[in-house]
Structures are given as C-alpha cells and as structure tokens.
Amino acid sequence: MKKRVLGKMKPVLLLAASAVLLLMSTVGSTRAALTYYSDYAAVQMSVSSIGVSLVENEKVVSHRNYDNDGWSSDGTGQLLEGRFTDEEKVKPGKRYEEKLQVFNSGVIDTYVRVILCRSWMDAEGNKDTTLTPALIGLELASEGSGWMVDESASTPERTILYYTRPLASGESTPAFCDAVRIDPAIAAKVVRKDTVDAEGNKIITTTCAYDGYRFCLDAEVDAVQTHSAVDAIKSAWGIDAAVAEDGSFSIR
C-alpha cells in the first residue's frame, strides 16, 4: 500500500499478527505474519527512532523498530500459541482470554492505531464472505481506557481503534481486546441435506453450517510520531485530527 507524502516525512510503522483457530474440528492452529509499510520523501532529513510492538497476554509476539539507518529490528511470533489441543477444542459460548496491547518499543512518543479484522475460512483455507463475522465476538476496551472506535470507518468485519493519548517510549497501552468468544448462535445455522436410502426411505441430515470452518482474527498495528501530530495523522491515517493541550487527539 503506497501513500503520497506532502512535505516532511511522517515515519509510519505497520505490523500484523493473525490468529486462526480451528472451530469444531480436530485441532487448533495459529499463524502470524509481520508486514510493514513506510512512506519515503525524496529529501534528505534525520528522523528519531520509532518502534511499535504487538503484545499478547503480556508477551511480545510481533515488533518492528525504525531508526535513521532503516529498519533496525523486527520479529514475529504466533498468537494463541499452544492454546488449543486435540483434547481442548474451541467451544462456542466460552470466553477465551486474549489480552492484546501495543508497546512503544521506540525512543519517541507516538500515537497508535489498531485494525481488527474478523473472517471465516473453509477447510481449504478460502475466505467465505457468506458467513457473518459478527459471530466472532471480541471483548473490546471499555470507555475511559483511551481507546476509541472509529464507528464511521468500521464494518462488521473490520474494527478500527485509535489510542487517543500519546504513548511514551517504553510504555504499553491498556488492552484494546480482552477476550474472544464464538457466539453460541452459531449452532442454530444448519445445512439440510435430503437423501433416499436403498429402500426408498427419505433421510434428512442436518449439519452445522460452520462445521469444519476456521475463524480468523487479524490485529494490525501502526504508529505515528506525536511531533507535528495533525500533519502526521493526516498523512498516515487520512483523518483530520484535533490535538488538545494534554496531547490527546480526537477526530474532527
């Protein structure tokens, strides 16, 4: 993804980690991927180090740090690693703790955005848009935590959150997600199949429409500098922001 930069460069970091769980199947699985994105202007300048890390249940699972010489370090891991086994499968209606935070691993203060995406995948690994992502329940940050959901840009599949307070170097945000829960209403959606046996008797078979499917949860985090915050936020995130005296920002 490429964006134009007008004037001075606004350092931007992007990392992503994905969790995929097998639902009502034999075993759970996870995957994580790290990507990044940065804008470059065709001018010479010096920028301070900026860094961002995704933290799951107090453990850093993905990070990317940037300094004057380029990307200085990065790493990726797995969300929900070892959480599910053959003996413990994902159970609809059960709350699974999934505390996700952002850690400022750079040396300058930043503002942070998170994009959470939910989707379903079939047994072949193909995304199925006919199944509602709303059944993948997320326990998001409460009011007063500093996290704000951008309702105008969010959809049933994608939720965009901003941490509206400056995040100091070496500090973590409150959790933007505390738990994951599959809505038990999933069991009500069934597929009917009518067959006839050798004696001519009609046989009706119903199976859960989500049987064998996996749900996918992607957490994508990026950060921008607090210096020249209004311009940085506009350049990186494409939104008009107003910054208060205490450093917090709101969407205009």
Side-chain angles (χ1 to χ4, degrees):
M1 179 179 180
K2 191 68 177 175
K3 300 182 181 178
R4 286 178 65 94
V5 180
L6 303 178
K8 294 184 178 180
M9 182 177 75
K10 311 299 188 297
V12 181
L13 294 177
L14 175 63
L15 61 83
S18 305
V20 181
L21 304 182
L22 238 61
L23 175 64
M24 293 178 291
S25 188
T26 57
V27 64
S29 66
T30 60
R31 62 182 172 86
L34 180 69
T35 61
Y36 69 89
Y37 139 68
S38 179
D39 280 326
Y40 290 91
V43 293
Q44 296 293 323
M45 64 188 66
S46 176
V47 295
S48 299
S49 176
I50 186 171
V52 66
S53 301
L54 178 62
V55 180
E56 178 200 34
N57 298 326
E58 311 298 335
K59 178 183 177 182
V60 173
V61 290
S62 294
H63 74 274
R64 175 74 72 172
N65 296 325
Y66 175 86
D67 60 23
N68 292 335
D69 298 321
W71 299 113
S72 61
S73 67
D74 60 70
T76 184
Q78 290 187 329
L79 291 174
L80 301 165
E81 185 175 16
R83 183 80 62 86
F84 299 99
T85 65
D86 288 333
E87 290 73 30
E88 184 180 0
K89 306 170 187 178
V90 180
K91 299 177 182 178
K94 182 176 179 179
R95 180 185 184 274
Y96 293 95
E97 182 177 355
E98 184 63 6
K99 184 179 179 182
L100 299 176
Q101 300 169 270
V102 179
F103 173 70
N104 185 345
S105 50
V107 298
I108 62 172
D109 294 354
T110 60
Y111 290 112
V112 170
R113 177 182 68 172
V114 172
I115 301 176
L116 288 173
C117 293
R118 298 169 289 176
S119 60
W120 293 96
M121 297 173 63
D122 62 22
E124 285 71 42
N126 301 311
K127 183 177 178 179
D128 191 332
T129 58
T130 65
L131 303 181
T132 176
L135 290 175
I136 306 170
L138 301 177
E139 192 175 298
L140 299 179
S142 60
E143 186 177 352
S145 65
W147 286 102
M148 173 186 65
V149 175
D150 187 349
E151 300 289 356
S152 64
S154 297
T155 67
E157 181 176 352
R158 182 187 67 179
T159 301
I160 298 179
L161 304 97
Y162 295 98
Y163 187 61
T164 59
R165 302 168 185 168
L167 182 61
S169 173
E171 292 189 357
S172 297
T173 67
F176 60 84
C177 179
D178 289 306
V180 179
R181 176 179 177 270
I182 300 301
D183 195 319
I186 191 173
K189 186 174 178 61
V190 298
V191 176
R192 171 174 166 164
K193 182 179 181 181
D194 296 344
T195 58
V196 179
D197 63 16
E199 286 74 34
N201 299 312
K202 184 176 181 180
I203 301 175
I204 301 175
T205 304
T206 59
T207 58
C208 178
Y210 294 81
D211 192 23
Y213 275 72
R214 294 175 292 174
F215 77 84
C216 180
L217 172 63
D218 293 302
E220 185 178 283
V221 183
D222 61 319
V224 299
Q225 66 194 46
T226 56
H227 179 67
S228 301
V230 172
D231 290 336
I233 291 171
K234 179 66 173 180
S235 175
W237 299 334
I239 61 173
D240 294 312
V243 180
E245 291 185 1
D246 63 358
S248 62
F249 80 90
S250 58
I251 299 176
R252 292 190 295 180

